Amino acid sequence: MEKRFYWALVGLLAFSLPVVADAAQLTLKPSAAAAVVGGTFTVSISLDTEGEPVNAIDITLTFPADKLQVVSPSLGRSVVSVWTAPPYFNNATGNLHFQGGIPGGINVKDGLLSTITFRAKQPGSAVVKFDSDSQILAHDGKGTDVLTDTQSGIFDVILPPPEGPLIASETH
């Protein structure tokens, strides 16, 4: 009789514990690169839901405004199908914001959210990172934030190599 009571108690406790959602992760790809002053480069935002269906994103990226500027965010091939707010960027303050939804939810390992084109402005190290207010919401009807990990990108902005003298000849 005591064994049955014990197992009944264990079962009751197991069902009363809160369910912990799996984690979701945001990554910048590439996570490191070099860019020449005046040139452009692209960075993709990738989503890994780690087995948890999600249906909404609210992401803010920050970047050093003195070293980088956003040329354009691209949403063409994004897994997000409904943008509740169009991408907004401010090159003076160094931030970029996305907000959207995925009706029915999605479970992806490497889902493209956006591709961003940056222009390199001045030499130095430029860290592009996700703001701590960024959220990935589970498709659980409760709006549970499942974002637990973000991976920033570090971009080295370098001067272009010297061009050397310009040589021209009227005969050759």
Side-chain angles (χ1 to χ4, degrees):
M1 189 73 159
E2 284 184 31
K3 275 188 173 181
R4 280 191 228 162
F5 176 74
Y6 173 77
W7 287 111
L9 183 61
V10 168
L12 180 63
L13 289 175
F15 287 111
S16 66
L17 294 175
V19 177
V20 178
D22 290 347
Q25 182 179 79
L26 291 171
T27 306
L28 293 179
K29 294 182 178 182
S31 61
V36 176
V37 171
T40 61
F41 63 98
T42 58
V43 177
S44 296
I45 302 174
S46 176
L47 170 65
D48 180 356
T49 64
E50 296 186 358
E52 180 72 28
V54 300
N55 66 2
I57 66 162
D58 188 358
I59 299 171
T60 301
L61 278 178
T62 61
F63 58 92
D66 61 327
K67 295 189 178 40
L68 300 177
Q69 73 180 39
V70 173
V71 175
S72 67
S74 171
L75 307 175
R77 295 184 4 225
S78 178
V79 297
V80 176
S81 57
V82 177
W83 292 99
T84 54
Y88 167 79
F89 60 93
N90 185 330
N91 283 323
T93 60
N95 60 41
L96 172 66
H97 184 250
F98 297 94
Q99 189 176 54
I102 307 149
I106 191 168
N107 185 353
V108 293
K109 181 75 176 154
D110 187 16
L112 177 66
L113 296 179
S114 177
T115 302
I116 304 142
T117 301
F118 285 99
R119 181 176 317 284
K121 291 172 54 176
Q122 79 177 37
S125 182
V127 177
V128 178
K129 62 183 180 178
F130 295 95
D131 188 82
S132 61
D133 291 340
S134 296
Q135 295 182 331
I136 303 296
L137 303 181
H139 185 58
D140 61 359
K142 300 175 189 172
T144 306
D145 183 9
V146 293
L147 179 61
T148 59
D149 189 27
T150 60
Q151 294 181 352
S152 302
I154 301 174
F155 305 95
D156 291 321
V157 180
I158 57 174
L159 290 172
E163 292 182 20
L166 179 61
I167 301 173
S169 170
E170 292 182 24
T171 60
H172 293 19

